[in-house]
Structure formats: C-alpha cells, structure tokens
C-alpha cells in the first residue's frame, strides 16, 4: 500500500485533519496536501512518518 493511502486511512480512522497529521508526524502542516499534489518525500521524512504511524495503535484517537 502506498504511503499516501496509509495516511488517508489513518486520517479517516482517527478523525484528524491532514494539517494536524503533517504537523505531528513531520512538523510540516502542508505535508499531506503536498503528497496529494505529487510531492515525493525524502527517505528521512518517510522514516519519520512510518515511526509516527507505528506509534499510534489502530483505532486510537489522537489528542487535540
């Protein structure tokens, strides 16, 4: 599954905005929007996103 697909699923399951996800995962509120527009993240950024997704258990709601 592609990274953007995993992020989109995470957004739907946790009910957080794309900007909040980007800010929390990589410190960039435009991250998800940029991915949707075709941005290709660097390896280190991918690692940060993967680590963030792994730290959130399935179905867990993020705190505001």
């Amino acid at each position: 599954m592609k990274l953007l697909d995993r992020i989109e699923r995470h957004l739907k399951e946790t009910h957080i905005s794309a900007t909040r996800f980007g800010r929390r995962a990589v410190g960039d509120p435009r991250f998800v929007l940029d991915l949707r527009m075709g941005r290709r993240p660097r390896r280190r950024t991918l690692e940060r996103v993967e680590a963030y997704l792994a730290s959130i258990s399935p179905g867990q709601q993020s705190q505001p």
Side-chain angles (χ1 to χ4, degrees), residues 1-48:
M1 179 180 293
K2 293 191 323 186
L3 177 66
L4 182 57
D5 294 335
R6 291 180 59 212
I7 292 171
E8 295 287 3
R9 184 189 320 176
H10 175 78
L11 296 178
K12 187 174 182 179
E13 290 174 356
T14 59
H15 305 287
I16 66 169
S17 68
T19 56
R20 182 168 296 197
F21 175 88
R23 193 175 292 119
R24 289 181 176 179
V26 295
D28 179 0
R30 292 187 46 88
F31 179 71
V32 177
L33 177 61
D34 289 346
L35 285 179
R36 291 173 180 163
M37 299 296 290
R39 175 179 173 182
R40 296 184 62 186
R42 295 179 178 158
R43 179 178 299 165
R44 178 67 182 129
T45 304
L46 289 174
E47 291 169 356
R48 291 174 66 187

Side-chain angles (χ1 to χ4, degrees), residues 44-57:
R44 178 67 182 129
T45 304
L46 289 174
E47 291 169 356
R48 291 174 66 187
V49 171
E50 294 291 346
Y52 177 80
L53 289 172
S55 73
I56 304 295
S57 61

